[in-house]
Amino acid sequence: NNRFSLRHFPDNNALIEKFELSNEPHHDYSIAYRNCFDGYVGEYYHTDVTYQKGNEFLIKKVGQDAPLDKSNGYIVIHYNVNCEGKMGRPGLQMMDSEYRDTTYSLDLVKHIMSQVMKLKEWPSTKSEGQHYINYRDIHGFLMFKIENGKITDLCP
């Protein structure tokens, strides 16, 4: 019937989440993406995959026209960057200002995710350090700080 429930136990308490098919347009960011290497994906600290235009550019670009929310905390977008500089395999984590799980408005989350996944200017992901495997794909993240419902800062 296009719906299902998941029961999980955060903090030793049963929580049931219900899901059903949505008529919202679906963005499949994985269609045009694939890792260059089938093995382990390196983490962001193995090679510098800082966005080439910098954090100030990202705060301005992603914050522009962003829907407002009433919360404070962090929205973290995880992703892989492959050897061709393409992004894929996104993930999402939302925390309040005390780093506890929370949610933000769907409009704000969709805005941030779509803006991040459009980014193109990534440096090479190939690591060349002698102590590391030569990774070709890197897992990275951008953590947007939300204050009074607005994007105010970005880590790392």
Side-chain angles (χ1 to χ4, degrees):
N1 291 334
N2 295 321
R3 60 178 85 153
F4 66 95
S5 298
L6 290 177
R7 182 170 60 171
H8 58 103
F9 299 88
D11 302 322
N12 294 324
N13 297 316
L15 178 63
I16 298 174
E17 293 187 72
K18 297 181 180 188
F19 300 88
E20 62 182 74
L21 184 63
S22 170
N23 291 327
E24 292 281 324
H26 176 70
H27 300 285
D28 188 351
Y29 296 108
S30 65
I31 291 174
Y33 177 85
R34 79 178 253 168
N35 284 341
C36 296
F37 180 62
D38 287 332
Y40 183 74
V41 175
E43 294 296 335
Y44 65 93
Y45 48 79
H46 285 293
T47 188
D48 184 8
V49 290
T50 303
Y51 189 69
Q52 291 181 354
K53 292 186 178 181
N55 282 2
E56 293 302 320
F57 172 85
L58 287 173
I59 292 168
K60 187 175 180 180
K61 177 177 177 48
V62 176
Q64 184 178 8
D65 300 324
L68 296 178
D69 194 282
K70 295 181 181 179
S71 301
N72 294 310
Y74 304 91
I75 296 177
V76 184
I77 306 296
H78 295 265
Y79 51 84
N80 283 0
V81 177
N82 70 12
C83 65
E84 298 170 354
K86 293 181 182 174
M87 293 179 69
R89 299 188 179 170
L92 172 68
Q93 183 176 12
M94 297 180 281
M95 301 175 281
D96 66 15
S97 56
E98 300 293 320
Y99 304 105
R100 295 179 299 235
D101 286 340
T102 193
T103 58
Y104 292 87
S105 73
L106 181 59
D107 289 338
L108 177 60
V109 172
K110 284 170 52 174
H111 174 82
I112 292 174
M113 179 69 78
S114 67
Q115 292 299 311
V116 167
M117 295 309 293
K118 289 178 187 175
L119 298 174
K120 303 278 188 223
E121 294 84 8
W122 294 99
S124 171
T125 59
K126 183 165 173 52
S127 67
E128 297 185 16
Q130 66 185 32
H131 300 292
Y132 304 123
I133 297 172
N134 288 329
Y135 293 111
R136 295 180 185 94
D137 310 298
I138 298 294
H139 171 259
F141 69 93
L142 295 171
M143 180 178 356
F144 293 91
K145 185 173 186 178
I146 311 297
E147 292 180 304
N148 299 317
K150 294 181 182 179
I151 298 170
T152 60
D153 201 1
L154 177 62
C155 304

